[in-house]
Amino acid sequence: MLSAAILGSALMTVLWALAADRFGRRRTVATMAVLMIAGGLLFAFGSSFPILLLGAFTGTISATSSEVGAFLTVEQAILPQTAPPERRTWLFSIYAFVANIAQAAGSLFAGVVAAFVAFGLTGADAYRPLFVLYAVIGLLNFAIFVSLSDKVEAASVEGERRFLGVHRSAGTVARLSALFGLDAFAGGLVVQSLVAYWFFARWGFEPGQLAVLFFFVNVLSGVSLLAAGWLAGRIGLINTMVFTHLPSNVLLVLVPLMPSGALAAAVFLARMSISQMDVPTRQSYTMAVVDPDERTAAAGLTNVARNAATALSPTVTGWAFSVAALGLPFFLAGGIKVVYDALIFLSFRKLRPPEEQGASLAGAPDEAGAPEVGS
């Protein structure tokens, strides 16, 4: 079910990465909001496995609590149009911060399942009201998206005429997609829903305790996102991505080694306090090293690489849990992420975004020999 949700998101990302600028960015996210409503209602009122699988496959149900599919792709392409290059990373940091705080509130609100049980709902029925609320939020999203102005649309017609939407930066986007996919596969081994199950299976955490834990996970992650913009302005985007990610991976490996649930939760919180600082920097970097007319496609292709890779991971974790190898996903995820950090640093440390170059370097060639152009 989790893999279907991630795969559905990946397919929607591919579709809209190719079509969003032609179909219209505003219409794209509005269409996805309608699918969000449908997905929520299918989970709220469906009981059979095929119906639930269809709900997961709409491309809007997230196994990680993070934003998925065309929403992220289109918004990621729109944001750089609203700020100068030197403020772009801050904008992505604030964007991610607001999302994390909202996720924190959602994680905490999930604890109301206990209240639904008290009202007489049992088993899966206790969770159905949350999916009704999810559909209502989809309706609110639809109202917001249809009210966006024409300024969100792609300004360049040239990019719309290309099937894949990338040209000069094709090599860069391909390398970034491959590396982001490696990182996402590792991250998919320990997505929030599976980590929550791990705390339940290993240490007996109840839904109320999990709600509080993941509330603080998202709050700490959100605060760190604001620090990412400040740090990137001082040491650069690639350095911020790598040097905050490495220690978080060490902490991830330590989580299953802790002798108590409280210590495991503390180490996991410490890990989450720095692990997400690469998110706005990664998004900002991707948008910076491609041309403006390539942004929607670049965002879509890198996101679909991440989603497709993540879709494979839950089955691995599910197998590990089924054979009582509860710590294995943490060890695998941490090790693979360390490899990703080394590769991304070695591959892209010389390819700098415009704001990190001197005026005399603005036209310098990138590693593929193409002139360095971007936002």
Side-chain angles (χ1 to χ4, degrees), residues 15-186:
L15 170 65
W16 293 118
L18 300 177
D21 285 349
R22 188 176 297 108
F23 183 68
R25 292 173 175 175
R26 178 173 52 195
R27 292 169 65 187
T28 296
V29 288
T31 300
M32 288 299 295
V34 172
L35 289 175
M36 181 177 175
I37 297 169
L41 293 178
L42 286 171
F43 269 88
F45 300 106
S47 297
S48 68
F49 184 75
I51 293 296
L52 297 177
L53 202 64
L54 179 62
F57 208 67
T58 58
T60 64
I61 301 290
S62 174
T64 64
S65 84
S66 300
E67 195 171 9
V68 296
F71 294 124
L72 182 61
T73 295
V74 174
E75 291 164 7
Q76 192 173 329
I78 291 172
L79 285 175
Q81 295 180 190
T82 67
E86 62 272 13
R87 302 298 295 174
R88 186 188 60 256
T89 303
W90 277 105
L91 188 64
F92 275 105
S93 295
I94 294 170
Y95 168 72
F97 168 76
V98 172
N100 267 65
I101 295 303
Q103 290 168 24
S107 296
L108 191 62
F109 187 81
V112 303
V113 167
F116 298 147
V117 171
F119 286 128
L121 296 177
T122 59
D125 290 340
Y127 294 85
R128 294 186 189 276
L130 294 179
F131 286 104
V132 174
L133 179 59
Y134 180 86
V136 171
I137 294 173
L139 182 61
L140 295 176
N141 279 344
F142 177 80
I144 292 171
F145 290 143
V146 296
S147 68
L148 294 175
S149 74
D150 291 337
K151 294 180 180 180
V152 304
E153 303 297 347
S156 174
V157 176
E158 179 184 356
E160 296 179 29
R161 293 175 179 169
R162 301 176 184 273
F163 176 67
L164 290 178
V166 292
H167 39 91
R168 181 193 65 85
S169 308
T172 298
V173 172
R175 296 198 303 275
L176 284 172
S177 297
L179 290 172
F180 290 170
L182 179 66
D183 177 51
F185 174 80

Side-chain angles (χ1 to χ4, degrees), residues 347-358:
S347 300
F348 289 97
R349 69 187 188 280
K350 295 180 181 179
L351 180 57
R352 300 178 181 178
E355 69 272 17
E356 294 179 19
Q357 303 178 52

